[in-house]
Amino acid sequence: MGEAMDALSSGPRTHDQLLELAREEFDLQWDTAAPVRDRTGWLAVTGMVDLFDRQVHLTEAGRRVLAAIELGKPDPDETDTVVQLAPTPGAIARLVEQLDQSGLRERADGANLYIPGVAANGGVLDALQVLTEAAIPSISDADFVRSVQSTFPKAQTVATARTAKDTLKALGLIQRTSSESWTVTPAALAWVESGEPLDLARTVHSAIAFFGEVLGELDQTVRPTTGTLTERSSLYLPNRGKPLSRSAVNTRLNLLDACGLVTRLSQTTYRTTALGRAFKESLPCFQPNDAAGLAPSDGATEIHHGDSPSGTTHPAISLGSHIAAVLEDAARDSANPKRLEKAVVVALGYLGMPGQHVGGPGAVDGHVRFGVGTDSRILAIEAKTSATGPVRDQPLFGLSEHRVRVGAHIHLLVGPGFERRMLKEADDHPAIAVIDTGLMAEVVRRQEQTPLTLTQLAPLVDPALKAAQRGDALRGYWEAQDMRSRLEYALVDILNAEAEDPLEEGGWLDLTSIRRELRTRGYRVDEGTVVEALEFLTSSRIGVLQRSEQRYRCTASVHTTGQRIRALGYQWTAATELHQQTRSGDEAAHA
């Protein structure tokens, strides 16, 4: 805001010139001038600037305010800066030396991280140091909880304090000395003695996945947002099979920022510093099979719903990622609008809405069927491309006639964003559902890891919802699935710990004890949800728990449980291919 006013102090500028300034000098990766217009609009309302002759002019009131405010500017990217790293203490160096690809693969997921205190101004490092020092020479579980509660005002519950303790364990800073006490690890002690943030960062990188690797992700020409980092985190978690939560990624970024390895550019973007580049080069990092980073071929728009992935894409590229990438690329390809029309039909088909592309003057771009059997309905498609940002000045009249021709009552207006006037007109229409191609691509990608049923996908195509509301509605379903998976994992982990306790014969736990243990781990779920998850794990298709009346015990490790659950997907794919082959053989025999 103030920086834009400063740029205007030397003379008026157009919105495009201010956008160029934001990109080049402030490293704000805005695709359009919309964020600039939002700021100049506010400045105009407050009298700081005046808008005329297609330029933004600083007013006298703006000059007075500008003289009284402090301006900011990102640090230079220091691409050519050479950084010398301090020697690494022996205990930490030994941890790093053990990180071959196998060791990197076996690091903890670090999916549930909570560091009390504030993220800014070194607060993360201070909090970790206070908590780590509390375990020197050792500390009991109860005293640790009390220490957290007395030190951090926002960590007053027992569950929150235990989560902080579990976070220190996950970060490699504390370890058990008995069933009721903890002490610092040798690496953590070395960090406390040196006071060097990089020693902490090396220790954390050795303990959890997708930490040092984040530095490489951020050091790209097209810098990812925190949302993209969250999505790509699954590539670095081979034992997890799904992305981290946004919170888990933000905790990593806050810690990297506190260590001076990244710098924050905006609410959702960060950049690797020169120190961060040198630090990453000093570390062994996990090398994922980066399917999502491979460029899809244009032929991907010809993939049909129901085709075998192995027959339509390169083996290294997942079908969902391929379809999503083509959809996003086609949305910006204004020279070939039919490409987006086809890509939308393919994407919706992948989500369980089969249909076909039509196109041509006076016709719908395509249509799909939502639902099964007599309850299904036809949805018409109108796809709009734009190479420069939101779609502008596209008339919406005539859509009702198009719907009539295909028997549809709802129209899906799909594009890479729409300018305000057009968006309001479409959002207010009772028969038009506005869908951003970015959201549709996100849904397609997530359908591989957290697939939604058609009932759960209804917010995507519901014309009663505004475009801005669709993502929140769908994320609620994704978060519920993620929570259910975490609950299932926690149940198996709890019952495994019980089975390994030499004082507990048989490893049986009743429902009340299970729920009590869940609460100590921060899970606040009702009894019905817990029972439903337990019944799933005891079912014959999973079979990793045994039940005796209201008691349960574990018969398999966490690792084996993961294998059993993943196997369901493999078995389903094999059965689908076998069924298709059998059906093809039957059709040939009758020909």
Side-chain angles (χ1 to χ4, degrees), residues 274-506:
L275 178 62
R277 293 191 190 97
F279 178 74
K280 180 184 178 297
E281 291 303 316
S282 73
L283 293 175
C285 290
F286 183 69
Q287 301 298 321
N289 181 10
D290 193 351
L294 298 177
S297 64
D298 290 341
T301 56
E302 299 303 318
I303 298 172
H304 297 287
H305 181 66
D307 286 346
S308 166
S310 60
T312 55
T313 63
H314 190 282
I317 304 176
S318 66
L319 182 60
S321 294
H322 198 153
I323 292 173
V326 171
L327 178 69
E328 291 173 318
D329 189 54
R332 303 290 183 181
D333 189 2
S334 297
N336 187 9
K338 285 190 176 181
R339 186 163 170 246
L340 178 60
E341 297 169 7
K342 295 178 180 179
V344 170
V345 173
V346 170
L348 292 172
Y350 180 76
L351 296 175
M353 305 176 218
Q356 68 181 61
H357 171 249
V358 180
V364 294
D365 292 338
H367 56 80
V368 296
R369 178 165 54 86
F370 182 89
V372 179
T374 57
D375 293 332
S376 65
R377 60 187 187 274
I378 301 300
L379 310 178
I381 296 170
E382 183 76 10
K384 300 293 186 182
T385 62
S386 174
T388 58
V391 177
R392 298 176 180 276
D393 303 324
Q394 294 284 348
L396 300 179
F397 61 82
L399 294 187
S400 58
E401 289 83 355
H402 294 176
R403 292 195 294 276
V404 170
R405 289 173 188 169
V406 296
H409 296 288
I410 295 174
H411 226 119
L412 308 181
L413 180 62
V414 186
F418 298 88
E419 61 90 15
R420 242 176 242 176
R421 181 195 57 77
M422 185 179 178
L423 176 61
K424 185 177 188 310
E425 180 184 352
D427 258 348
D428 290 344
H429 198 290
I432 297 178
V434 183
I435 308 175
D436 190 287
T437 49
L439 175 62
M440 186 177 288
E442 181 182 3
V443 177
V444 168
R445 288 191 177 100
R446 282 185 176 253
Q447 195 70 359
E448 293 177 327
Q449 301 295 339
T450 48
L452 302 182
T453 65
L454 281 179
T455 301
Q456 295 168 326
L457 284 168
L460 181 66
V461 298
D462 184 357
L465 292 178
K466 304 295 186 184
Q469 298 172 324
R470 302 188 192 284
D472 289 340
L474 293 167
R475 288 183 186 99
Y477 287 119
W478 290 325
E479 289 171 4
Q481 283 202 46
D482 288 339
M483 180 60 191
R484 175 59 183 269
S485 297
R486 293 196 296 272
L487 173 61
E488 291 164 359
Y489 180 96
L491 289 170
V492 175
D493 191 44
I494 288 168
L495 290 168
N496 260 283
E498 187 70 11
E500 294 173 359
D501 190 334
L503 300 179
E504 297 295 335
E505 185 176 350

Side-chain angles (χ1 to χ4, degrees), residues 198-209:
L198 294 191
D199 290 339
L200 171 64
R202 291 187 183 97
T203 302
V204 173
H205 177 72
S206 302
I208 63 170

Side-chain angles (χ1 to χ4, degrees), residues 100-184:
D100 56 13
Q101 285 300 301
S102 175
L104 290 164
R105 179 183 291 271
E106 294 305 316
R107 290 175 299 173
D109 291 345
N112 299 307
L113 302 178
Y114 168 67
I115 303 174
V118 295
N121 302 320
V124 169
L125 299 187
D126 291 342
L128 288 178
Q129 184 168 343
V130 167
L131 293 173
T132 302
E133 289 177 343
I136 301 175
S138 66
I139 190 171
S140 69
D141 273 318
D143 285 344
F144 196 102
V145 168
R146 284 191 288 269
S147 175
V148 174
Q149 292 174 317
S150 64
T151 307
F152 301 98
K154 293 185 178 181
Q156 292 302 300
T157 67
V158 172
T160 302
R162 287 184 181 275
T163 303
K165 178 198 67 183
D166 292 341
T167 296
L168 257 68
K169 179 179 182 294
L171 298 181
L173 300 177
I174 60 173
Q175 60 189 7
R176 278 200 177 277
T177 57
S178 72
S179 61
E180 297 182 351
S181 62
W182 299 83
T183 189
V184 292

